């Protein structure tokens, strides 16, 4: 749960967006130690978990500890501005290419 909260923080995601990301992003699942068959925490569960950390005065200490560990390895987290997207173009059989013949005798594709 804490790793999910970290992802939400690092990627500026709302709880609803974080829940959705956990459903569609394999890298998020892997980071959180979840598999495709595991139950995904819903937005309410994520919110309650974060609020419990805040109420018990633990969230700031945990985030500071994570930052210290990252810095000790020469790393830092910068706000994410994008996502990995597979933009491979594939030809669809649903819409085959058509040739249209115009009255002027020209061919248009």
């Amino acid at each position: 749960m804490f790793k999910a909260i970290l992802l939400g923080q690092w990627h500026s995601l709302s709880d609803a967006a974080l829940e959705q990301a956990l459903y569609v992003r394999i890298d998020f699942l892997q980071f959180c130690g979840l598999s495709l068959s595991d139950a995904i925490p819903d937005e309410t569960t994520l919110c309650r978990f974060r609020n419990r950390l805040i109420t018990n005065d633990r969230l700031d200490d945990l985030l500071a500890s994570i930052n210290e560990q990252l810095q000790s390895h020469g790393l830092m987290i910068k706000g994410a501005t994008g996502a990995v997207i597979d933009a491979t173009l594939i030809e669809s059989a649903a819409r085959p290419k058509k040739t249209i013949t115009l009255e002027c005798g020209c061919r248009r594709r």
Side-chain angles (χ1 to χ4, degrees), residues 2 5 16 22 25 28 30 34-35 38 42 46 59 66-67 69 76 79 82-83 89 92-93 101-102 104-105:
F2 181 64
I5 298 298
L22 288 169
R25 295 205 40 190
F28 276 33
Q30 200 169 36
L34 298 171
S35 71
D38 289 333
D42 63 21
L46 293 164
L59 185 60
I66 293 295
N67 284 333
Q69 291 176 46
M76 67 183 269
L89 298 176
S92 171
T101 304
L102 303 175
C104 67

Side-chain angles (χ1 to χ4, degrees), residues 20-55:
Q20 185 62 33
L22 288 169
Y23 277 108
V24 299
R25 295 205 40 190
I26 292 174
D27 55 336
F28 276 33
L29 282 178
Q30 200 169 36
F31 180 79
C32 292
L34 298 171
S35 71
L36 294 173
S37 61
D38 289 333
I40 302 297
D42 63 21
E43 64 180 288
T44 304
T45 303
L46 293 164
C47 181
R48 287 180 180 162
F49 179 75
R50 182 185 313 93
N51 287 339
R52 182 171 285 181
L53 290 174
I54 292 168
T55 301

Side-chain angles (χ1 to χ4, degrees), residues 99-108:
T99 302
I100 300 171
T101 304
L102 303 175
E103 286 184 26
C104 67
C106 304
R107 290 176 57 124
R108 178 188 241 173

